[in-house]
Amino acid sequence: MSAMDTSPPRTAPDLLIGDSGYIPTLDEVLQGSHDLPRWIGWRLRMLVGAVVMGFVLVLLVGQWLSSQPRLPVSLRATAEGTVRLHSVDNPAMQRLEGHILEGLRSEVVQPHGSTQVLETPIEMLALQRSGRWISDAEQRQHFVDLHLGVARLLAALPPDNKVMLLQLANAPDEPVLITPRGWSGLSPLFWLLSALALTLFAVGAVVVLAGPQLRNLAYFALALSQAGQLMFIAVETNLDLFLPEWFMTLDMRARGGLDLITAAAMIQVAVLHPRRLKGWPYFMALGWAAAAGLGLTAMTLDHPSSWLWLHTGCVVMIAAAIMLMGAAYRASPHPFTLVLQRFSIITLATWVLLSVAVARGGARPDMLLNITTFGVMTWHVFFASELLLAPYLSRSKQILQEFSLLAASSTVAASLDLLFVAVFSLGQFTSMTLSLFLSFGVYMSVRRWLMTRLPGRDPITMERLFERLYRMARELERRPAKTDDLLARLMRELFDPLEVTVARGEVFASELRGNGSVMLVRLPSLRLNRETPSKHALVLKHSNKGRRLFTSEDARLADRIIDQLHRVLSFDQAVEQGRSEERVRIAQDLHDDIGARLLTLMYQAPNAHIEEYIRHTLQDLKTLTRGLAAQSHGLSEAAGEWKRDLHQRLGFAQCELTWQMTQDCDVTLSMGQWSALTRILRELVNNTISHAKASKVVVNLVLANDHLSLTVTDNGVGRAPETWSHGLGLGGVRKRVKQLGGTVRWSEAEPKGVCCEVVVENFSATAGPSADSEL
């Protein structure tokens, strides 16, 4: 939870350095960003002491619970509102499972020999683990009276013979021995909830010791209050019917107070993080004053409306915190503010659902018991998980974020289940099915709304990223000085930050600063070794226009992009050098060997026709070897060679050539472009000579605004080109057009013949050496 940089964001989308050309240093750009203090000295000692103290407290609570009495049977509520025996520890008493329990009775022998009979009823309300979530004041008092009756009955029994009689419906009373619970009698849920409470307490201690600030103190208050709630729930799961009077009073008042502390601490976080809201002392003081006032008037839970006051006050305070977070985000956009606000909305919504479910759950007392027992526990576990994730949210994995939403969905499902039963009197199976489907729908609809704002990357597609890297490599080969600008543009497209700045400073690898609000991207010269530290760095602030934080995955992605550019350029340079050397060798071999043999055959030709044919073949070979040996070709020069070559080929077939060419500038063709266009023209003309039986061929070549269009039209017998099977010839044309990054289409010409059209957008972008995959 570190503070954000206070410098104003820049508005120009490509502003990298100052107007004067000055490049600031990293220290100047990162002024205000800082890391957490190192864990040395008193902080570490206090953290260890706090954790040890919490662990000892859990053991002391466990020791106290192990000495508490327990019934050797477990009890469950029925849909009719009665209590039945669910399971029995003693195998000899398993016959009693399923019987309805009406009460407890004890027969105590007095010193003068008479027998005193004590009885207390057992109603379903006695199975409540806490009076905190009983909304009706009369029901709360009845809950206390039931447990006091059990306590009086237990206190009257002799210490060495605590035998009670179970009063069963339609069955004789059954004696049972009341024994201490012991360590083995503590439920696994006690240890799980205690471990979660201890972890939450430790994380809160880490945050407040790492930065003793008001906002971190508020987080510690949140963690401590929820850890206390979890510990109360853990204790209640092991007391059954034997709730001591002092514990019932402490539980109801303390848990209500912890809820008020949670609401006030959320207001304090809202006005302090990530930047202090204007007038924050007044908002913070008002929040704590409201919590104290509600605690004094409603926490006694004696007034008939005190439960409603308490819950309404908590809802109003949390809603105020959510509105303050919205105001803070509008004043200074920060991704963590948006995340906190949206998780607070989910937390408040589930709290309201639970409160409404409890208030309207009288139609099915057994369901009300389940929601106050398991629904409330689920909500507190969900809230505790959010608090645990909050300090690490900028670096959390997707699975942890999904877990948070699923935990909220389970809380919604439990609340809706009770509402359907209470309001619409639906059956248990029907209400459970509807609540699960609705909560799943809420999860799917809310997931995108929330997860797109969580600190995590919403990446562009792999195809689009590959295309951008490919075009960058081509551009850098022509203009290496544009490295910083091109990388800055790519980082803007990937992360959409509020501010991008080039700064002076050595950076070995991309890294995060300001707890994820700032990311440094190394900007090395792509001609240097990747291990060489960068003298310049790209500073990106507040990803996705301030709606999320940078993550370690973002830093690794930036480094991989730099590495891939290194590899692409190095590979292209090595491949092009090898191709150039191989082309020169092949051209020399063709000239020296094949050319000499053709020249000998020409002088030994038996007639003038064969001599002329060999002479033209020598001319083709000369054109080919000259093209292979050249590093580049001008378009106008290459077009002249293509025209002469096609005129000669069509002349032998007694076919007329019409050549048309228009260009707005004379561009230099790479070897890849020259080779692809040469083979495309030759293959199309050869196909016309071999199959079309045409008398005329029209070639139209147009280059305008970096848009290349090449059409070859004949007046032959070919029809319905969409039905042709493309073998090596036409398949080779498609392959070479694809290498140029263009498209090719065959269609019927009027009045007869076939037209082939090749179109290449951004023709200069295909000028790189890798455009040609063949020699």
Side-chain angles (χ1 to χ4, degrees):
M1 294 185 176
S2 59
M4 284 181 58
D5 178 28
T6 57
S7 59
R10 303 188 181 189
T11 56
D14 298 311
L15 183 58
L16 299 179
I17 61 176
D19 296 334
S20 63
Y22 171 72
I23 300 179
T25 64
L26 282 176
D27 291 337
E28 293 172 342
V29 175
L30 298 177
Q31 184 178 6
S33 299
H34 57 275
D35 297 323
L36 294 178
R38 298 178 59 188
W39 283 94
I40 58 175
W42 63 271
R43 289 186 177 90
L44 183 57
R45 290 193 291 271
M46 289 192 67
L47 176 61
V48 173
V51 172
V52 170
M53 181 181 65
F55 183 71
V56 170
L57 180 61
V58 170
L59 292 180
L60 291 175
V61 173
Q63 175 63 35
W64 175 73
L65 283 175
S66 67
S67 64
Q68 296 304 300
R70 66 181 291 267
L71 280 173
V73 297
S74 61
L75 306 177
R76 293 290 186 273
T78 66
E80 293 77 20
T82 59
V83 179
R84 66 180 177 87
L85 302 183
H86 178 69
S87 61
V88 181
D89 295 345
N90 189 350
M93 299 174 59
Q94 289 183 355
R95 69 184 187 282
L96 302 177
E97 292 181 358
H99 281 71
I100 302 299
L101 178 64
E102 295 181 339
L104 297 176
R105 183 167 65 90
S106 66
E107 298 177 352
V108 182
V109 179
Q110 301 296 322
H112 54 270
S114 62
T115 302
Q116 182 184 9
V117 178
L118 299 176
E119 295 182 354
T120 185
I122 299 297
E123 301 176 8
M124 194 181 65
L125 191 62
L127 299 185
Q128 287 274 9
R129 294 178 177 177
S130 172
R132 167 66 183 87
W133 280 83
I134 300 177
S135 59
D136 185 76
E138 294 182 359
Q139 290 291 317
R140 276 196 306 274
Q141 185 58 48
H142 190 46
F143 162 80
V144 174
D145 293 340
L146 288 173
H147 283 283
L148 289 178
V150 175
R152 285 193 297 268
L153 191 65
L154 182 65
L157 294 176
D160 56 344
N161 187 25
K162 292 183 177 295
V163 177
M164 286 187 180
L165 295 175
L166 303 179
Q167 295 179 314
L168 305 176
N170 303 320
D173 295 350
E174 187 72 26
V176 293
L177 180 64
I178 308 300
T179 59
R181 181 174 297 275
W183 284 96
S184 61
L186 298 181
S187 66
L189 194 57
F190 169 78
W191 298 111
L192 289 175
L193 293 176
S194 299
L196 181 58
L198 185 59
T199 303
L200 188 58
F201 169 72
V203 172
V206 168
V207 171
V208 75
L209 290 175
Q213 306 168 13
L214 285 175
R215 60 185 178 190
N216 290 344
L217 285 172
Y219 177 83
F220 181 68
L222 283 170
L224 194 60
S225 62
Q226 291 309 305
Q229 295 275 15
L230 293 173
M231 281 304 301
F232 273 111
I233 296 174
V235 171
E236 292 160 2
T237 59
N238 290 270
L239 289 178
D240 298 329
L241 296 177
F242 305 105
L243 287 174
E245 182 179 5
W246 66 267
F247 181 81
M248 287 188 291
T249 304
L250 175 65
D251 175 81
M252 288 187 286
R253 294 180 178 176
R255 291 185 64 179
L258 292 175
D259 288 333
L260 292 172
I261 290 174
T262 298
M266 289 183 67
I267 292 179
Q268 184 169 333
V269 170
V271 298
L272 293 176
H273 183 77
R275 293 181 182 174
R276 295 182 174 182
L277 198 62
K278 185 178 180 180
W280 65 269
Y282 302 102
F283 290 116
M284 189 174 70
L286 183 61
W288 286 107
L294 282 171
L296 291 175
T297 57
M299 207 165 56
T300 58
L301 300 177
D302 294 331
H303 193 276
S305 301
S306 58
W307 189 89
L308 181 61
W309 293 348
L310 180 62
H311 280 252
T312 303
C314 289
V315 168
V316 171
M317 292 174 68
I318 297 176
I322 293 172
M323 290 188 290
L324 289 171
M325 292 175 189
Y329 182 78
R330 289 190 296 272
S332 178
H334 191 283
F336 209 90
T337 306
L338 206 56
V339 172
L340 289 179
Q341 184 188 37
R342 297 194 171 188
F343 269 119
S344 298
I345 291 174
I346 293 177
T347 302
L348 178 61
T350 52
W351 170 275
V352 171
L353 272 175
L354 278 175
S355 302
V356 174
V358 170
R360 297 294 304 273
R364 284 285 302 273
D366 59 326
M367 295 300 297
L368 179 61
L369 176 63
N370 288 334
I371 201 67
T372 54
T373 301
F374 301 106
V376 172
M377 180 176 64
T378 302
W379 186 88
H380 283 292
V381 171
F382 157 67
F383 193 25
S385 68
E386 294 307 318
L387 291 176
L388 286 174
L389 288 176
Y392 316 107
L393 203 56
S394 63
R395 297 171 178 84
S396 61
K397 300 296 184 182
Q398 190 81 0
I399 186 65
L400 297 179
Q401 300 167 359
E402 295 284 359
F403 164 76
S404 303
L405 292 181
L406 288 174
S409 300
S410 65
T411 307
V412 173
S415 303
L416 289 176
D417 186 21
L418 180 62
L419 277 177
F420 289 142
V421 173
V423 178
F424 302 107
S425 300
L426 299 178
Q428 186 169 359
F429 177 78
T430 304
S431 66
M432 181 68 72
T433 304
L434 285 176
S435 62
L436 286 176
F437 273 106
L438 284 177
S439 62
F440 181 73
V442 171
Y443 164 75
M444 294 302 295
S445 59
V446 171
R447 178 185 177 278
R448 182 171 180 82
W449 168 72
L450 182 64
M451 297 297 287
T452 53
R453 300 297 186 255
L454 282 175
R457 188 172 49 84
D458 187 14
I460 62 176
T461 63
M462 184 61 65
E463 179 181 0
R464 187 178 172 192
L465 180 58
F466 178 80
E467 179 185 355
R468 294 286 289 115
L469 287 174
Y470 178 82
R471 293 185 181 277
M472 280 185 61
R474 302 285 77 77
E475 183 73 13
L476 289 176
E477 287 176 342
R478 293 193 298 270
R479 295 184 291 175
K482 299 288 290 182
T483 299
D484 292 358
D485 184 59
L486 291 175
L487 281 174
R489 290 173 185 271
L490 180 58
M491 295 303 161
R492 280 189 179 278
E493 183 174 353
L494 281 173
F495 306 116
D496 194 20
L498 278 176
E499 182 180 348
V500 178
T501 309
V502 172
R504 290 180 286 115
E506 291 191 353
V507 177
F508 285 88
S510 299
E511 59 183 88
L512 304 180
R513 297 287 182 88
N515 203 25
S517 61
V518 177
M519 183 170 69
L520 306 183
V521 179
R522 59 190 176 98
L523 289 177
S525 172
L526 295 178
R527 292 186 175 83
L528 299 178
N529 189 287
R530 288 194 296 272
E531 302 300 326
T532 304
S534 171
K535 300 299 183 182
H536 286 171
L538 199 63
V539 182
L540 282 66
K541 294 185 178 181
H542 318 315
S543 180
N544 199 12
K545 288 292 187 289
R547 290 191 292 271
R548 73 173 182 88
L549 301 176
F550 290 105
T551 67
S552 55
E553 286 117 0
D554 294 333
R556 287 194 292 271
L557 174 63
D559 282 337
R560 286 198 296 270
I561 288 175
I562 302 295
D563 293 339
Q564 287 301 321
L565 282 177
H566 271 290
R567 293 190 181 97
V568 169
L569 293 175
S570 300
F571 177 79
D572 282 352
Q573 293 169 1
V575 169
E576 180 57 23
Q577 183 178 357
R579 284 177 174 171
S580 179
E581 294 174 355
E582 187 66 10
R583 284 194 294 265
V584 172
R585 184 190 65 80
I586 292 175
Q588 190 65 46
D589 290 346
L590 289 174
H591 180 272
D592 294 345
D593 296 338
I594 306 301
R597 291 177 182 271
L598 288 174
L599 186 61
T600 300
L601 287 175
M602 186 184 68
Y603 287 121
Q604 296 177 356
N607 54 60
H609 180 74
I610 295 178
E611 179 182 352
E612 184 65 18
Y613 182 83
I614 296 175
R615 187 185 304 277
H616 285 299
T617 302
L618 276 171
Q619 183 62 35
D620 288 346
L621 180 63
K622 180 179 178 181
T623 301
L624 177 62
T625 55
R626 186 169 62 250
L628 288 175
Q631 294 296 319
S632 61
H633 306 261
L635 179 59
S636 57
E637 178 186 359
E641 294 179 355
W642 295 334
K643 180 179 179 181
R644 288 192 296 270
D645 178 58
L646 299 183
H647 188 274
Q648 174 186 333
R649 290 173 180 272
L650 292 170
F652 277 108
Q654 298 180 349
C655 183
E656 178 185 354
L657 171 66
T658 300
W659 180 273
Q660 301 172 350
M661 180 178 176
T662 304
Q663 61 184 107
D664 54 4
C665 63
D666 192 11
V667 299
T668 300
L669 303 179
S670 69
M671 176 54 63
Q673 291 173 320
W674 177 86
S675 175
L677 290 173
T678 300
R679 287 171 170 82
I680 290 170
L681 282 168
R682 285 184 177 178
E683 182 56 44
L684 291 176
V685 170
N686 288 342
N687 190 66
T688 300
I689 295 173
S690 301
H691 306 290
K693 300 178 182 179
S695 61
K696 183 176 181 181
V697 173
V698 178
V699 177
N700 187 16
L701 180 63
V702 178
L703 177 65
N705 298 322
D706 204 27
H707 175 101
L708 179 73
S709 174
L710 171 64
T711 59
V712 178
T713 307
D714 65 62
N715 62 350
V717 298
R719 305 298 291 175
E722 65 275 3
T723 63
W724 294 353
S725 60
H726 290 201
L728 293 177
L730 297 184
V733 171
R734 286 189 178 277
K735 176 182 176 182
R736 291 180 175 91
V737 172
K738 186 177 180 180
Q739 291 170 0
L740 291 173
T743 59
V744 59
R745 182 175 67 91
W746 282 270
S747 61
E748 292 186 3
E750 295 296 338
K752 64 177 182 176
V754 172
C755 174
C756 177
E757 181 181 13
V758 176
V759 176
V760 181
E761 303 282 353
N762 300 320
F763 184 63
S764 61
T766 65
S770 60
D772 185 18
S773 61
E774 303 177 24
L775 290 174

